[in-house]
């Protein structure tokens, strides 16, 4: 994990001081609401339905046990005893008082954390694969690149007031767990035939009102040029992106209007001037950063742990959990473990101060004192010995982390929706809960298999509904809360945007609608097909027929 | 009289900033004028023939490329911020300095507020016409907001990674 040196530390402390001054000037009436707005946003502070919300960065999802304890402390001291892990590998506090935010930021700075650029029209927290560095299917570790991007983007003076927010995601594995196709810039770290590292660059992906999958504008960017090329993309966007309409201000609209080919030409023309300047990365810098992400002190095992395998055979509950909540590890005898934050009847991604402390404690005892936050709003212990898994599972059960549903229908991604968010058309958390209650038979859930169900309370798409295999969107129908369903979205490799099933539904119809969709899948699937495969083969018609036939 | 922050000091403003729709009619011959881009493009010849100082100002949706060939005629290039959250003039300033090597004054005009000065200076602005209702003495403090910077910019061509001990 990256450890700050004195420069990094000084910068976050400078920021706390600056924001303390800005908050004081605002409270004293010297800064207007409008002038304070972008300043607080660039420090992650929203003002929403009931109270301010503070969004704290967890850069590319990595967090130490010590930092997790600090979040627990903040939740207890300044909030109502819980925090919300978001789909962008951040954490949000829903009830801090504005006056306390500078103090909260000072507490965070003590453990090398901050809320810089977690909001506002600037370059946001870079996200990546939650299994970076440990996944068996990884080709190149994306984390050093994420940290290099974090430093380059932090207080970038030219790009603090972009037309709109800007998000970069990096993936280095065979599977895309970072959803790079739906980010403003998606970077796929690859090795070419000569073994050199470089990036495949996608640009102009995004969800929101105009969901689009990003277009490739460069098939191999040698690593030295990463930052100058990013500077070129951002400069073209900063100068030419639309500013007259906030719904048309994302880079995706510019790329689409120009066409990806013309956009790429503009970037290359700009880059021709700046390529090879001092921002060109050096071997020394990459090594300096990369040495923070070397493998921990693993024990040597020759293969799978026999006792662990035996326990899986003898205990069904343990086996269910192991099937869903473990990820293959590149080191023999180890596994990456997902701690589920999705038990039924809890807002997805919410964790109490006690749970955060328990997670920190588990990390210290089982996984080199580090954790990851996933964009599915769960936590991960990335380096657990197989021989410890049974004991860990029992502890997880006690703490409510053991819901064996990772990747299943009930592992729902869900935005805060109408319960918390001023922009919502409809509530989203109760819909998630109703669906979780309907699908309470674990064997059936396992039989249905991998299925992403994503819910957003409005078209801002914070819950990523467009890329859910099943997506649910809250809509307003003459002042009533309704829900539009889409099928066939996918955030992985070959990302795709879901298609709308048809007219929207009332809240109480939703569990039934989802059940019918699942029935059509189960009746039509071939033995090897997952939901998405069946949908792609048979298309929308059978689903539509079933759902609306009965509704009439 | 409007005051200006220039090179870290507060000085009295001596230039006249002309409106966007200004014409040649009645222009003083000897005053120091900052003219809108449109007027320059149309009447460069007449403006060059005046005795007073000459500057030009660009709105945020105008591109510095339009004056790239003319920079030797200007003592001041002013870049407008119609609202502080419109960030296009940051890129224009960097291009003026880094690409076209403009040596004269680059001035921020419009909705210029204390909390943006640090970034503006990094991008090559050296003069700031702070919004009239703001106190320039207090604003000076903001140049010390950060003790270091990660990226290269006009004020510091070396990114931190080339300077890190
Ligand atoms: C409760 C307060 C929240 C408000 C007011 C809010 C507001 C918004 C708005 C206005 C957008 C659209 C921006 C655009 O498309 O340009 C957006 C996008 C987004 N929000 Fe939120 N949001 C909130 C909470 C959350 C939470 C809790 C999460 C994570 C679970 C989240 C994740 C996202 C993501 C990932 C996007 C980007 C979708 C895309 O790629 O276009 N938001 N949000
Ligand atoms: S999707 Fe809409 S309702 Fe949900 S959090 Fe985002 S803005 Fe709010």
């Amino acid at each position: 994990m990256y450890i700050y040196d004195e420069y990094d530390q000084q910068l976050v402390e400078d920021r706390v001081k600056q924001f303390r001054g800005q908050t004081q000037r605002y409270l004293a009436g010297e800064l207007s609401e409008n002038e304070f707005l972008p300043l607080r946003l660039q420090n992650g502070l929203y003002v929403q339905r009931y109270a301010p919300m503070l969004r704290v960065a967890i850069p590319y999802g990595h967090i130490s046990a010590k930092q997790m304890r600090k979040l627990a402390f903040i939740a207890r001291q300044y909030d109502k005893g819980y925090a919300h892990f978001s789909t962008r590998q951040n954490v949000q506090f829903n009830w801090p008082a504005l006056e306390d935010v500078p103090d909260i930021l000072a507490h965070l700075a003590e453990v090398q954390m901050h809320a810089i650029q977690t909001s506002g029209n600037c370059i946001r927290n870079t996200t990546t694969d939650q299994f970076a560095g440990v996944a068996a299917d990884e080709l190149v570790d994306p984390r050093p690149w994420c940290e290099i991007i974090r430093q380059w983007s932090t207080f970038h003076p030219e790009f603090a007031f972009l037309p709109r927010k800007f998000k970069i995601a990096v993936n280095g594995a065979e599977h895309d767990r970072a959803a790079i196709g739906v980010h403003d810039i998606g970077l796929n770290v690859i090795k070419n035939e000569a073994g050199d590292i470089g990036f495949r660059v996608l640009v102009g992906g995004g969800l929101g009102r105009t969901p689009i999958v990003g277009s490739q504008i460069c098939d191999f960017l040698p690593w030295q040029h990463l930052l100058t090329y990013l500077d070129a993309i951002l400069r073209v966007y900063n100068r030419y992106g639309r500013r007259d309409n906030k719904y048309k201000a994302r880079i995706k609209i510019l790329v689409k209007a120009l066409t990806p080919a013309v956009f790429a030409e503009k970037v290359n023309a700009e880059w021709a001037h700046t390529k090879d300047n001092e921002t060109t990365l050096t071997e020394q810098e990459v090594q300096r950063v990369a040495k923070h992400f070397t493998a921990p002190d693993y024990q040597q095992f020759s293969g799978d742990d026999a006792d662990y395998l035996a326990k899986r055979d003898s205990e069904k509950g343990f086996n269910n959990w192991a099937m869903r909540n473990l990820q293959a590890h590149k080191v023999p005898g180890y596994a990456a473990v997902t701690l589920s934050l999705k038990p039924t009847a809890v807002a997805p991604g919410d964790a109490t101060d006690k749970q955060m402390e328990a997670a920190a404690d588990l990390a210290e005892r089982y996984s080199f004192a580090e954790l990851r936050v996933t964009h599915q709003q769960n936590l991960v212990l990335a380096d657990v010995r197989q021989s410890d898994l049974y004991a860990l599972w029992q502890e997880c059960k006690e703490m409510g982390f053991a819901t064996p549903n990772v990747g299943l229908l009930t592992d729902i991604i869900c935005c805060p929706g109408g319960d918390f968010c001023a922009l919502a058309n409809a509530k989203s958390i109760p819909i998630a809960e109703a669906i979780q209650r309907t699908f309470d038979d674990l064997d059936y859930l396992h039989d249905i298999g991998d299925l992403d169900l994503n819910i957003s309370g409005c078209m801002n798409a914070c819950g990523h509904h467009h890329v859910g295999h099943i997506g649910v969107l809250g809509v307003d129908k003459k002042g009533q809360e309704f829900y539009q369903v889409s099928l066939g979205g996918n955030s992985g490799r070959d990302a795709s945007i879901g298609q709308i099933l048809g007219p929207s539904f009332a809240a109480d119809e939703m569990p039934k609608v989802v059940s019918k969709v699942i029935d059509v899948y189960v009746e039509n699937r071939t033995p090897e097909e997952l939901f998405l495969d069946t949908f792609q083969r048979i298309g929308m018609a059978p689903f539509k027929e079933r759902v609306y036939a009965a509704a009439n | 009289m409007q005051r200006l922050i220039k090179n870290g000091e507060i000085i009295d403003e001596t230039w006249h900033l002309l409106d966007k729709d200004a014409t040649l009619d009645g222009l003083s011959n000897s005053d120091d004028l900052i003219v809108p881009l449109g007027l320059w493009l149309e009447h460069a010849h007449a403006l060059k023939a005046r005795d007073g100082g000459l500057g030009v100002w660009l709105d945020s949706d105008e591109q510095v490329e339009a004056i790239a060939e003319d920079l030797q005629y200007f003592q001041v290039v002013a870049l407008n911020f119609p609202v502080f959250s419109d960030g296009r003039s940051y890129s224009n300033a960097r291009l003026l300095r880094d690409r076209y090597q403009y040596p004269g004054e680059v001035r921020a005009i419009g909705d210029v507020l204390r909390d943006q000065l640090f970034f503006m200076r990094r991008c090559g602005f050296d003069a700031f016409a702070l919004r009239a209702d703001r106190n320039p003495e207090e604003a000076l403090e903001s140049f010390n907001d950060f003790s270091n910077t990660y990226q290269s910019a006009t004020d510091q061509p070396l990114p931190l990674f080339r300077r890190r001990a």
Side-chain angles (χ1 to χ4, degrees), chain A residues 84-272:
Chain A
H84 177 82
F85 289 93
S86 87
T87 54
R88 298 212 63 258
Q89 301 184 315
N90 289 317
V91 63
Q92 303 185 162
F93 294 100
N94 277 310
W95 309 95
L98 178 67
E99 308 74 82
D100 288 337
V101 171
D103 289 340
I104 298 175
L105 296 181
H107 282 297
L108 291 169
E110 284 168 15
V111 293
Q112 311 195 343
M113 293 185 87
H114 60 77
I116 297 164
Q117 290 167 213
T118 54
S119 174
N121 294 334
C122 52
I123 305 169
R124 303 288 191 83
N125 186 20
T126 299
T127 51
T128 191
D129 182 358
Q130 64 265 29
F131 299 115
V134 303
D137 68 340
E138 183 166 278
L139 308 170
V140 184
D141 188 344
R143 296 171 300 168
W145 306 105
C146 292
E147 176 59 26
I148 284 169
I149 294 169
R150 184 188 75 81
Q151 297 193 13
W152 159 81
S153 62
T154 298
F155 308 133
H156 197 304
E158 190 178 341
F159 306 133
F161 295 96
L162 295 168
R164 206 70 181 80
K165 60 183 172 182
F166 203 91
K167 300 172 181 180
I168 302 176
V170 189
N171 175 48
E174 197 122 4
H175 290 91
D176 179 4
R177 284 174 292 263
I180 64 169
V182 290
H183 283 75
D184 297 287
I185 293 179
L187 296 170
N188 186 196
V189 210
I190 47 179
K191 275 193 185 146
N192 67 9
E193 277 160 19
D196 299 323
I197 289 183
F199 300 88
R200 193 166 67 84
V201 182
L202 308 183
V203 66
L207 301 174
R209 281 166 199 250
T210 319
I212 309 180
V213 175
S215 307
Q216 181 173 314
I217 58 164
C218 179
D219 59 0
F220 189 82
L221 176 73
W223 62 266
Q224 292 87 341
H225 301 302
L226 175 64
L227 299 185
T228 54
Y229 195 76
L230 292 178
D231 268 326
I233 296 175
L234 267 295
R235 183 172 282 173
V236 170
Y237 172 54
N238 189 42
R239 300 186 78 196
Y240 301 106
R242 284 182 64 171
R243 289 174 188 263
D244 58 329
N245 177 340
K246 80 176 224 184
Y247 299 113
K248 299 198 185 309
R250 295 290 288 266
I251 195 173
K252 61 193 172 189
I253 306 289
L254 178 66
V255 172
K256 198 171 154 197
L258 291 174
T259 75
V262 171
F263 181 82
E265 269 170 40
K266 275 192 174 299
V267 170
N268 285 327
E270 175 57 42
W271 190 45

Side-chain angles (χ1 to χ4, degrees), chain A residues 326-340:
Chain A
L326 300 187
Q327 167 82 16
H329 201 289
K330 65 183 176 195
V331 176
Y334 279 84
V337 178
T338 299
L339 308 185
S340 169

Side-chain angles (χ1 to χ4, degrees), chain A residues 2 5 7-8 10-11 14-15 18 22 25 30-31 34-35 38-39 150-152 154-158 160-161 227 235 238-240 243 270 273-274 278-282 285 288, chain B residues 63-65 84-88 90-92 94-95 98-99 113-116 119 122-123 131 134 138 145-153 157-165:
Chain A
Y2 187 75
D5 66 9
Y7 297 104
D8 304 306
Q10 186 62 49
L11 279 165
D14 288 347
R15 175 58 141 206
Q18 182 196 38
Q22 290 167 342
R25 280 186 283 135
E30 295 166 33
L31 275 176
N34 262 344
E35 290 159 7
L39 306 177
R150 184 188 75 81
Q151 297 193 13
W152 159 81
T154 298
F155 308 133
H156 197 304
E158 190 178 341
F161 295 96
L227 299 185
R235 183 172 282 173
N238 189 42
R239 300 186 78 196
Y240 301 106
R243 289 174 188 263
E270 175 57 42
H273 292 283
T274 53
E278 280 88 353
T279 296
T280 305
L281 281 166
T282 59
E285 171 65 357
R288 181 187 77 82
Chain B
Q63 319 296 340
V64 283
E65 282 83 351
F84 67 88
S85 53
D86 178 344
R88 287 176 282 193
Y90 293 97
S91 289
N92 264 348
R94 287 205 66 181
L95 290 168
D98 303 351
R99 187 153 308 159
L113 300 171
R114 155 182 179 161
D115 293 291
Q116 284 76 49
F119 287 163
R122 292 217 67 207
C123 291
R131 215 171 71 190
R134 294 308 148 106
E138 284 175 17
D145 276 355
F146 296 99
S147 47
N148 214 325
T149 54
Y150 281 120
Q151 326 66 14
S152 106
L158 293 183
L160 182 59
F161 67 76
R162 288 183 189 267
R163 294 181 278 119
R164 249 178 166 124

Side-chain angles (χ1 to χ4, degrees), chain B:
Chain B
M1 181 176 283
Q2 161 97 39
R3 291 182 303 164
L4 194 69
I5 299 176
K6 178 139 189 209
N7 294 324
E9 291 181 5
I10 298 162
I11 58 170
D12 286 335
E13 164 68 311
T14 55
W15 290 74
H16 296 277
L17 184 74
L18 301 191
D19 287 344
K20 200 165 193 169
D21 53 4
T23 64
L24 284 186
D25 295 345
L27 276 198
S28 139
N29 178 51
S30 56
D31 281 348
D32 295 341
L33 302 181
I34 301 176
V35 305
L37 175 67
L39 194 65
W40 167 256
L41 293 178
E42 209 170 326
H43 299 291
H45 197 67
L47 290 168
K48 276 190 266 185
R50 291 173 60 258
D51 294 330
L54 182 64
V56 68
W57 71 271
L58 270 60
D59 215 339
S60 63
D61 60 353
E62 295 171 331
Q63 319 296 340
V64 283
E65 282 83 351
I67 52 167
E69 307 289 311
D70 306 338
L71 292 173
Q72 75 258 32
Y73 303 112
F74 307 125
Q75 288 154 266
V76 177
V77 176
L79 301 174
N80 189 34
F81 291 83
V83 289
F84 67 88
S85 53
D86 178 344
R88 287 176 282 193
S89 293
Y90 293 97
S91 289
N92 264 348
R94 287 205 66 181
L95 290 168
L96 268 180
R97 295 292 196 202
D98 303 351
R99 187 153 308 159
Y100 302 114
Q101 258 83 57
Y102 176 66
E105 176 180 313
V106 179
R107 178 186 295 199
I109 59 171
D111 197 17
V112 178
L113 300 171
R114 155 182 179 161
D115 293 291
Q116 284 76 49
L117 298 187
F118 187 89
F119 287 163
M120 288 178 180
R121 187 180 60 179
R122 292 217 67 207
C123 291
F125 288 97
D126 59 353
F128 310 88
L130 203 67
R131 215 171 71 190
D133 60 338
R134 294 308 148 106
N135 177 336
E137 279 84 6
E138 284 175 17
L140 285 180
E141 291 169 30
S142 68
F143 290 117
N144 304 317
D145 276 355
F146 296 99
S147 47
N148 214 325
T149 54
Y150 281 120
Q151 326 66 14
S152 106
T154 306
D155 65 334
Q156 168 52 279
L158 293 183
L160 182 59
F161 67 76
R162 288 183 189 267
R163 294 181 278 119
R164 249 178 166 124

Side-chain angles (χ1 to χ4, degrees), chain A residues 45 72 96 101 169-170 188 199 202 209 215 228 244 267 280 289 291 293 297 308 381 384 414-415 436 503 538 548:
Chain A
L45 188 60
V101 171
V170 189
N188 186 196
F199 300 88
L202 308 183
R209 281 166 199 250
S215 307
T228 54
D244 58 329
V267 170
T280 305
V289 176
K291 77 175 193 305
F293 299 99
D297 202 3
Y308 152 70
L381 300 180
V384 182
C414 177
C415 81
Q436 286 169 333
I538 68 177
Y548 292 99

